[in-house]
Amino acid sequence: MKHYALAFATSIVALMSANGSALAQTAGGVIDVATIGEPPTLDPMASTADLVGIITQHIYETLYTFGADWTVTPLLAADMPTISEDGLTYTIPLRTGVTFHDGSEMTSADVVASLDRWMRIASRGKQTAEVIDGIAATDEATVTITLKSPYAPLLSLLSLNNAAAIIIPEENADQDPLESYVGTGPYRLEERVPDQYIQLVRFEDYASRDGEPNGYGGARLQHLDEIRFVPVPDPNTRIEGAVAGQFAYVDQLPVEAYDRIAGGATEPVVLAPFGWPVFVMNTQEGLNSDLRIRKAIQAALAPEDMMLAAFGSEDFFSIDGAWYPDSYAWHTEVATEPYKPMGDTETAMALLAEAGYDGSPLRILTSRQYEYHYKMAQVAQAYLEAAGFKVQMDVVEWATLTQNRADPALWDIYITHSPFLPEPSLMGIMSDSSPGWWATDAKHAAVEAFNAESDPAKRVELFADVQKVIYEEVPAYKVGNFNALAAQAPNLEGVAPAPWPYFWNAYLGDE
């Protein structure tokens, strides 16, 4: 049976979810978590980078989040909103007694100021601002959001942990960039030493929700004294650290390291299916402002060879042009004909000739911190050059990539990836202000109809129209589906497998 939201992926190792067994654990301990590099910011409103969301979700919280079945569940909100019959008014009750890291108590004034900042700064906030008529504090514990038109993705957009609608103190909401890293989360920032570690310590006055842990929602229990996120940009160094047991958790390992990890001091964790790698096109300026060039790229690329180079074994990937795999209700094969497993060089050459391509370099922005990004880029370069492109590979640190992609003068394609998101409107390309800057009448017509519909079955049908426009206008190229590999120490327990790993509810058991 298909579902509208994928349950948390299963793992190869038997990871204990944070349930009653974890509740009985004694607090204490420090863990080191190896990440793919240094985050470009600790302001999750200002970045869509998964790395930023992974770290900062421990510091800041949102009104809503996603439960274990990927449905929206309250976090700082006391309950689900009351929605008017016309779908235009959302009345959100707030939890009381929630304390910020600076000791102040959260009120509706903080929420209104935070959401105003989100709409001004975050790509997903700007996307949402287009349909918001106003946000007001009804009283100290109630906020009302009024819409210009019905907008089905609102709660999902308020729930995501990147370009996130975090709640911060009202007096900090004017900061841009954010200078005071004060949230309501279970851990607070103690120290950041760039390129060495980000140290989070238990927030003693944290107000957890009652009940059981539930994915990113429910109770958030602070068993650990301290979490240190350690940037380890080189994938081989992450592998060796995992094999040696240097870290309690190692994120984003090359999948070909599975056997080595399985024979080492930590245990492999596989999330399957995890998500999709994507080549994002700069539609605003440069070569890819010409649709014919983008279509030539679409024709030239050979996803089967790209995925094979990136992941090695079909155990870790599948070739699939649909933006969602067939285990999702959002799955549709509509308009996927241009997706050719081994590419179509002749069609690409014809499109280049039609566009009058003058030999200008096609600049691909990528990083080796996600090694599979780089391997896909290498294969893509060969196929693009066979079609007649001159290709320039710009290989930078991931933090630099996330900064450079904000400047349309610096790139034509950048390579990224995403977990399969429970709501398609969370996809970066759905926002006009997301790097790539895809904004056309055809997009707006399809996306607005999709977002305005509240009936789940009708939304599934309307997503087919969205996918059709994506294939027709090529703002991005989905390469395929892939699984992800991480590693976890045997004595680290209470960690539920998740695309953005989190460590509240985690605890250290016996060696």
Side-chain angles (χ1 to χ4, degrees), residues 1-5 71 151-153 328-331 422-424 449-464:
M1 178 178 174
K2 293 183 179 180
H3 41 71
Y4 292 97
T71 56
Y151 192 64
Y328 284 77
W330 304 115
H331 175 78
E423 161 59 55
F450 174 69
N451 287 340
E453 179 56 63
S454 59
D455 181 87
K458 292 179 181 177
R459 294 193 80 222
V460 168
E461 295 174 4
L462 289 167
F463 181 67

Side-chain angles (χ1 to χ4, degrees), residues 140-157:
E140 284 205 346
T142 310
V143 168
T144 299
I145 300 177
T146 306
L147 305 180
K148 300 172 185 175
S149 57
Y151 192 64
L154 177 63
L155 294 181
S156 292
L157 284 158

Side-chain angles (χ1 to χ4, degrees), residues 33-221:
V33 176
T35 65
I36 62 101
E38 182 73 14
T41 178
L42 292 182
D43 179 358
M45 286 192 191
S47 177
T48 60
D50 286 343
L51 175 59
V52 174
I54 288 168
I55 296 170
T56 61
Q57 65 187 342
H58 297 81
I59 303 171
Y60 311 103
E61 295 179 312
T62 47
L63 292 174
Y64 296 96
T65 189
F66 294 109
D69 62 355
W70 283 106
T71 56
V72 171
T73 188
L75 185 52
L76 290 177
D79 206 341
M80 298 301 288
T82 300
I83 305 174
S84 62
E85 285 190 17
D86 61 8
L88 298 180
T89 304
Y90 286 61
T91 302
I92 301 174
L94 305 177
R95 293 169 57 202
T96 56
V98 173
T99 305
F100 286 110
H101 298 158
D102 64 3
S104 62
E105 185 170 338
M106 182 193 76
T107 69
S108 57
D110 302 304
V111 174
V112 172
S114 297
L115 295 182
D116 284 344
R117 183 180 190 269
W118 178 63
M119 291 190 295
R120 187 175 72 252
I121 289 175
S123 61
R124 292 188 174 95
K126 293 175 183 177
Q127 172 185 349
T128 311
E130 296 175 2
V131 298
I132 289 183
D133 193 42
I135 302 176
T138 310
D139 57 44
E140 284 205 346
T142 310
V143 168
T144 299
I145 300 177
T146 306
L147 305 180
K148 300 172 185 175
S149 57
Y151 192 64
L154 177 63
L155 294 181
S156 292
L157 284 158
L158 291 175
S159 300
L160 198 63
N161 67 5
N162 62 63
I166 58 167
I167 307 305
I168 59 178
E170 180 182 14
E171 59 267 27
N172 295 345
D174 289 334
Q175 296 177 5
D176 185 16
L178 195 63
E179 299 168 355
S180 302
Y181 304 110
V182 175
T184 61
Y187 289 85
R188 61 177 178 80
L189 179 65
E190 177 71 11
E191 185 179 22
R192 179 182 187 181
V193 180
D195 299 316
Q196 294 187 41
Y197 60 83
I198 293 170
Q199 179 189 23
L200 307 185
V201 299
R202 182 191 294 112
F203 176 40
E204 299 294 349
D205 294 326
Y206 177 65
S208 173
R209 295 193 69 90
D210 295 331
E212 294 291 314
N214 175 24
Y216 292 94
R220 293 184 167 189
L221 307 173

